[in-house]
Amino acid sequence: MAIADHVDFNRFMEGVKRRNPHQTEFVQAVQEVAEDIFDFIEDKEEYHSEQILRRISEPDRVVSFRVCWEDDNGSIRVQRGWRVQNNNAIGPYKGGLRFHPSVNESVLKFLAFEQTFKNALTGLPMGGGKGGSNFNPKGKSTREIMRFCQSFMTELYRHIGPDTDVPAGDIGVGAREIGYMFGQYKRITNEFSGVLTGKGLEFGGSLIRPEATGYGAVYFLADMLATKDADLSGKTAVISGSGNVATHAAEKIGQLGGKVLTLSDSGGFIHDPDGIDQEKLDWVKHHKTHRRGRISEYVDEFSGATFHEGKRPWNVECDVALPCATQNELMGEDARALVKNGCMAVSEGANMPTDLEGVHVFKDAKILFAPGKAANAGGVAVSGLEMSQNSERRPWSEDELQKMLRDIMHGIHQRCLTYGDHGGGYTDYVKGANIAGFKKVADAMLAFGVV
Ligand code: NDP
């Protein structure tokens, strides 16, 4: 960046911080994008005069609401719900719902902002949104989850619709929760429409939606490795998380010949030097999804594995790493440990798992680094395909969908190369993804005038 740009950039970020006090995650996400966009728009007058960067970093609207529900003891509980409708320049708002005690307006604004560029990168007509609640599903009975989901939808329904805003799952929201929310939406509106994605196959869901994010992150990783004439065969992988994204990323790594060494949850990580193969993964999936168990119990089941309480897996030596749990789970020092231990590629299955310092460590070391908005876009891409199937009222076959997912991830990789190629064999995928996503949304906004 030129010195004048630095001054403008600092002034821009000061404004973002002033307008969004205490919203550190949102400010972090805007900064990561703006760092790349400032260079890109330097000589493009229209983006400046129309204040596109300023407008794109302000959500279209943020809806906040009370969610009351009754627990199994008959006590009344009160939670807060939100839907952030960030930008619908290229299609209806689209993005997941997260139920986790750490959810607040800042987290959802950052996720909705990221989602806007991610959705643009897929090439499908989807705007960006995100929502959720500070409700903690852990330890709740199935009936309590159902009552909460119904109460949440009783307010949310008036803000969404198949051509307006189409939510999906995220942390704490899987097929069960989507089922309860879809049932309540249908009951209130008397309408059967594609208003949510991630639905069960019996009522409009799409094949391969559960696998899509994790598989997609590995496809992207494979595409990055291919630029170095390498592949996943024989490579060791360190993965964080043990939910939907982590377990499916691990599955695909195994299918492509790699060996997964770790998985984690909020209690710590397990290290299995023998590798977490399909049989072990099936146990993890069942244990986490149906028994709502903890990853620490893996070591009681499989000998040779160790559990590391309260720790993250980034010090384990590996060829590739996939952070697949949550935001800011891979910090600067973790990134330095990965680079020092010879890790050649990182693909973010989660949203913004690497903090800004970590991103700069990877960029400086010039390793292959795929930001979440590119690498984990497979999930929302198949959600987009679920919307198409719902509109067409015809489900597509698994083969068709697998091919489409592969093609979409390949297309995203190509878009990143177009804008992130630094010459000399180094691709800045963060920059590539930011610019490609920004350009599509920004050009649509220009076409609409000042609205
Ligand atoms: P799940 O709820 O299925 O799994 C989340 C995993 O992350 C669990 O293992 C959970 O552990 C762990 N985790 C959650 N919060 C923390 C924390 N604060 N510290 C440590 N570990 C934590 O969610 P998903 O797999 O669906 O989502 C994971 C990430 O991927 C999120 O960032 C999400 O936004 C992103 N993503 C998901 C998509 C999808 O299709 N599902 C699409 C694109 C992105 P525990 O059980 O202890 O809570």
Side-chain angles (χ1 to χ4, degrees):
M1 260 192 250
I3 291 177
D5 293 338
H6 269 296
V7 173
D8 287 347
F9 177 77
N10 290 339
R11 200 177 303 140
F12 170 77
M13 283 312 304
E14 281 312 312
V16 173
K17 284 180 196 155
R18 199 175 53 248
R19 286 188 298 278
N20 302 280
H22 314 299
Q23 300 198 341
T24 49
E25 293 86 357
F26 178 63
V27 170
Q28 179 184 339
V30 173
Q31 176 161 347
E32 193 218 87
V33 170
E35 278 178 4
D36 290 325
I37 299 306
F38 255 72
D39 277 346
F40 174 68
I41 63 175
E42 191 185 0
D43 56 350
K44 300 178 180 65
E45 178 49 31
E46 228 177 350
Y47 294 134
H48 291 283
S49 62
E50 300 302 308
Q51 294 277 358
I52 292 295
L53 193 53
R54 168 80 175 79
R55 284 159 60 189
I56 222 167
S57 51
E58 191 70 37
D60 287 356
R61 76 186 56 76
V62 179
V63 185
S64 159
F65 49 94
R66 187 183 63 221
V67 187
C68 297
W69 58 284
E70 191 177 341
D71 69 20
D72 287 345
N73 298 322
S75 303
I76 303 305
R77 311 279 285 263
V78 183
Q79 247 77 46
R80 191 168 291 174
W82 288 270
R83 186 69 184 165
V84 178
Q85 297 181 331
N86 191 63
N87 189 300
N88 67 351
I90 62 166
Y93 304 107
K94 177 96 199 81
L97 297 170
R98 178 178 291 191
F99 293 168
H100 194 271
S102 64
V103 166
N104 58 37
E105 198 173 306
S106 169
V107 167
L108 295 177
K109 276 171 68 179
F110 117 65
L111 288 164
F113 181 78
E114 288 279 296
Q115 192 83 45
T116 302
F117 304 107
K118 180 192 312 194
N119 292 1
L121 276 172
T122 65
L124 300 175
M126 300 182 288
K130 201 85 188 188
S133 172
N134 57 356
F135 172 70
N136 185 359
K138 277 199 199 108
K140 303 289 188 301
S141 71
T142 305
R143 289 286 176 198
E144 288 177 326
I145 300 277
M146 181 187 78
R147 286 195 290 273
F148 177 81
C149 288
Q150 289 174 339
S151 181
F152 184 82
M153 184 51 86
T154 302
E155 172 61 31
L156 185 69
Y157 91 94
R158 67 188 86 241
H159 308 291
I160 61 176
D163 295 314
T164 306
D165 183 351
V166 183
D170 191 74
I171 291 178
V173 179
R176 175 180 64 166
E177 291 74 20
I178 293 289
Y180 291 146
M181 287 191 273
F182 185 75
Q184 184 72 349
Y185 181 89
K186 190 168 67 59
R187 175 193 194 190
I188 296 172
T189 60
N190 196 25
E191 221 179 73
F192 193 111
S193 64
V195 70
L196 289 166
T197 58
K199 300 186 290 297
L201 287 176
E202 308 78 11
F203 51 96
S206 176
L207 287 164
I208 83 161
R209 175 61 190 88
E211 296 89 344
T213 307
Y215 279 20
V218 177
Y219 289 148
F220 198 94
L221 178 62
D223 279 348
M224 291 199 299
L225 290 174
T227 65
K228 304 282 178 205
D229 294 324
D231 61 30
L232 279 162
S233 177
K235 297 275 186 312
T236 51
V238 158
I239 298 183
S240 65
S242 49
N244 174 279
V245 180
T247 51
H248 289 107
E251 187 165 287
K252 185 51 78 180
I253 292 269
Q255 287 170 9
L256 297 181
K259 181 170 164 184
V260 176
L261 300 177
T262 67
L263 288 172
S264 73
D265 63 19
S266 47
F269 79 92
I270 55 110
H271 179 196
D272 187 343
D274 297 332
I276 304 168
D277 60 18
Q278 188 63 48
E279 192 191 329
K280 294 172 179 176
L281 266 179
D282 289 341
W283 180 88
V284 173
K285 282 188 195 172
H286 188 261
H287 182 66
K288 292 289 286 186
T289 313
H290 298 290
R291 279 189 269 153
R292 314 263 155 203
R294 311 303 302 152
I295 199 67
S296 55
E297 289 152 291
Y298 181 99
V299 299
D300 304 328
E301 197 70 19
F302 303 106
S303 60
T306 47
F307 176 62
H308 304 261
E309 191 176 349
K311 297 223 161 54
R312 294 172 178 144
W314 313 123
N315 281 296
V316 174
E317 221 167 281
C318 62
D319 298 313
V320 300
L322 293 103
C324 296
T326 192
Q327 66 272 7
N328 291 330
E329 52 156 328
L330 197 165
M331 317 306 265
E333 63 183 303
D334 302 318
R336 277 187 285 277
L338 282 167
V339 171
K340 185 169 140 273
N341 286 334
C343 175
M344 65 186 295
V346 176
S347 182
E348 291 188 335
N351 286 310
M352 208 170 74
T354 311
D355 75 345
L356 272 173
E357 190 190 343
V359 171
H360 287 130
V361 170
F362 291 144
K363 282 190 179 197
D364 292 346
K366 298 198 167 169
I367 69 164
L368 298 165
F369 173 59
K373 64 171 75 70
N376 71 32
V380 74
V382 174
S383 274
L385 301 178
E386 183 173 330
M387 288 166 71
S388 302
Q389 294 170 78
N390 290 164
S391 300
E392 198 183 326
R393 300 194 193 284
R394 189 179 71 90
W396 300 342
S397 73
E398 180 166 349
D399 284 352
E400 285 174 283
L401 287 158
Q402 290 283 12
K403 182 173 180 319
M404 283 186 229
L405 172 62
R406 191 69 197 85
D407 288 349
I408 287 171
M409 294 314 297
H410 194 57
I412 296 171
H413 183 259
Q414 285 302 320
R415 275 170 217 121
C416 291
L417 286 185
T418 303
Y419 292 102
D421 188 354
H422 268 217
Y426 174 61
T427 300
D428 181 342
Y429 284 93
V430 178
K431 184 174 190 164
N434 282 338
I435 295 176
F438 170 85
K439 188 173 181 316
K440 182 163 180 186
V441 178
D443 288 350
M445 289 171 75
L446 283 178
F448 302 146
V450 182
V451 289

